[in-house]
Amino acid sequence: MNTTKVPSRADQQLIEHAREHGFTVTGKRLSGWRRHGLLPANAHGGGLGRGRGSTSQPVAASFALVLALARLAGRGKRPADVALALFGEGLPVPEPTVRAAFRAAVDAIRLPGTVPGQDVDEKLDAVDSYIGRGGQAAVMVPARARRVDEQIAAFFESAGVPWPPKELVPFDEHLNDERLTPQGATLFAADALLTGSAPLPLVGALLRGMAPGRDANPIASLVETTVRDVPHSPVLGPDDSLTIPAGDVRSVLRTLAETASPEDLAAAWHAAQGVRSWAMDLCVRTEAELAARAPGEATTEWWISRQLPAGLYLLEELRTRHEKATTTALSALLLLLQRETFAELDRVQEGLQWDLAQTPGFLPPPVRAFLALPSATPASS
């Protein structure tokens, strides 16, 4: 017996629409997309007359979605990734599906060696044990970035120019010359993820560890002297830890996935994509200049960025060889968290010099535009 279900008239419209644009879509595929929340149901449009039942029509959004789904969806493609790809293209994928996909990106954050039910200390011990058994530790400086740094140093040294410039030395007080190892950085990241707390001396040590071969690190020094410069800050804990947000950061990110407006999620998504484009383009342009033995604008921007917070974004993008929808979603949520954190800092701490963040190279241009930093006060020095 033939049990193949004949597509409804509404679905036939979508199938024909896809065919006219060069795609083959079946009623079964439409049902599967609806089951995963990627395609809205048809809208009921009333009766056909003479007792012949009711009819329905595709909602307007379905026509564009069907074409995009025929292009993006396929065997082995996870529905959450497809939903994020649709969202990233500005297509009207149902909002609950988008939010679920952002939550899934957060849920994908796993601490190696841990199991459900462990408390914070047990989880940190498990991560430490995992690394001790030869597990993968954090990559402090990706190989590609390390090669660029080394090529810049070699070029200037061959030209008889001291590198890094000795002029940086006076800007580093060297209060803490500790450098986190990859193992230490992994534990630091796990602790910060689980507690939302980041001791500033360890942040400085992390920054120093991410800049091997550098005698002076003014930004690390600036972090290490924060407590002296901003005594009794309401956002610093008793162990000189920055405590915004407090608690497991994943919970905060899930809340953002649930509560951020679709417009904010979209803006953050495009900012995250912009950061990756900026980083990869800067890397390619710098490599080209160095290959031609003609360092120019790109090399200068690279080197300045590596001294400033922009370098953290640069290294993070170079750690990810291929762009993934879940990675972009997570980066977007982190940008939203950063924006909320800065707004909270501005609310509880007076005299913050936000104008410093407008310094060229301090932040990637897409981040600077997205954060729309709070009120700035004149820098004192």
Side-chain angles (χ1 to χ4, degrees):
M1 181 176 64
N2 186 2
T3 58
T4 302
K5 184 177 180 180
V6 177
S8 66
R9 291 187 181 185
D11 281 355
Q12 286 285 11
Q13 291 183 53
L14 296 175
I15 292 169
E16 180 63 20
H17 180 69
R19 188 191 65 77
E20 290 173 354
H21 288 80
F23 297 108
T24 299
V25 170
T26 64
K28 183 178 180 180
R29 293 190 76 187
L30 294 177
S31 297
W33 293 336
R34 290 195 180 103
R35 187 169 60 252
H36 291 298
L38 299 169
L39 186 68
N42 295 321
H44 290 287
L48 291 169
R50 297 187 180 180
R52 295 171 59 190
S54 63
T55 185
S56 60
Q57 292 290 330
V59 298
S62 293
F63 291 96
L65 282 171
V66 161
L67 298 182
L69 284 164
R71 173 169 51 87
L72 296 172
R75 188 179 300 275
K77 298 288 187 67
R78 296 185 301 181
D81 290 344
V82 175
L84 290 171
L86 294 169
F87 176 76
E89 292 188 10
L91 291 160
V93 62
E95 183 177 321
T97 304
V98 172
R99 294 191 184 278
F102 273 93
R103 290 197 307 271
V106 179
D107 293 339
I109 303 174
R110 296 283 189 271
L111 292 177
T114 62
V115 297
Q118 293 175 316
D119 61 24
V120 171
D121 290 336
E122 289 171 335
K123 288 180 179 178
L124 292 175
D125 288 342
V127 172
D128 193 17
S129 177
Y130 169 83
I131 298 171
R133 296 193 305 270
Q136 178 69 46
V139 176
M140 302 288 282
V141 184
R144 189 175 182 183
R146 188 182 296 272
R147 286 194 298 270
V148 172
D149 288 344
E150 291 171 349
Q151 289 170 10
I152 292 174
F155 176 86
F156 285 102
E157 288 171 2
S158 68
V161 178
W163 201 262
K166 299 300 182 183
E167 289 81 0
L168 290 179
V169 173
F171 296 99
D172 186 349
E173 296 190 26
H174 292 282
L175 296 184
N176 174 24
D177 279 333
E178 179 186 359
R179 295 173 181 266
L180 285 187
T181 64
Q183 294 79 8
T186 303
L187 284 174
F188 170 82
D191 194 356
L193 176 70
L194 293 170
T195 65
S197 177
L200 294 182
L202 283 182
V203 175
L206 175 66
L207 295 174
R208 293 185 187 279
M210 296 173 71
R214 194 184 304 170
D215 294 333
N217 193 317
I219 291 298
S221 181
L222 183 64
V223 170
E224 293 158 359
T225 58
T226 295
V227 177
R228 183 195 65 196
D229 296 336
V230 192
H232 313 299
S233 171
V235 298
L236 294 178
D239 59 346
D240 299 339
S241 293
L242 184 65
T243 55
I244 296 180
D248 194 317
V249 176
R250 290 170 294 188
S251 296
V252 182
L253 295 177
R254 289 189 192 98
T255 299
L256 282 172
E258 291 284 357
T259 60
S261 70
E263 293 76 16
D264 279 349
L265 286 172
W269 175 278
H270 293 302
Q273 286 186 318
V275 172
R276 181 163 183 83
S277 296
W278 164 81
M280 304 309 292
D281 176 69
L282 177 59
C283 191
V284 169
R285 290 189 294 116
T286 303
E287 290 170 334
E289 289 182 356
L290 293 171
R293 296 194 59 76
E297 291 183 3
T299 304
T300 301
E301 183 180 357
W302 173 284
W303 187 79
I304 291 175
S305 296
R306 286 286 280 123
Q307 318 306 308
L308 297 171
L312 301 180
Y313 295 87
L314 179 61
L315 295 185
E316 183 59 33
E317 294 302 333
L318 292 178
R319 290 188 187 97
T320 306
R321 181 170 299 181
H322 302 292
E323 186 177 14
K324 298 179 181 178
T326 51
T327 303
T328 304
L330 184 59
S331 296
L333 290 175
L334 288 169
L335 283 171
L336 284 170
L337 175 58
Q338 187 175 354
R339 189 170 71 178
E340 287 199 354
T341 301
F342 282 4
E344 178 65 9
L345 285 171
D346 196 56
R347 186 183 69 82
V348 301
Q349 180 74 63
E350 296 181 355
L352 295 176
Q353 297 174 340
W354 295 110
D355 55 315
L356 294 178
Q358 305 296 341
T359 303
F362 195 91
L363 291 171
V367 174
R368 194 164 60 240
F370 172 76
L371 292 180
L373 294 171
S375 57
T377 57
S380 59
S381 61

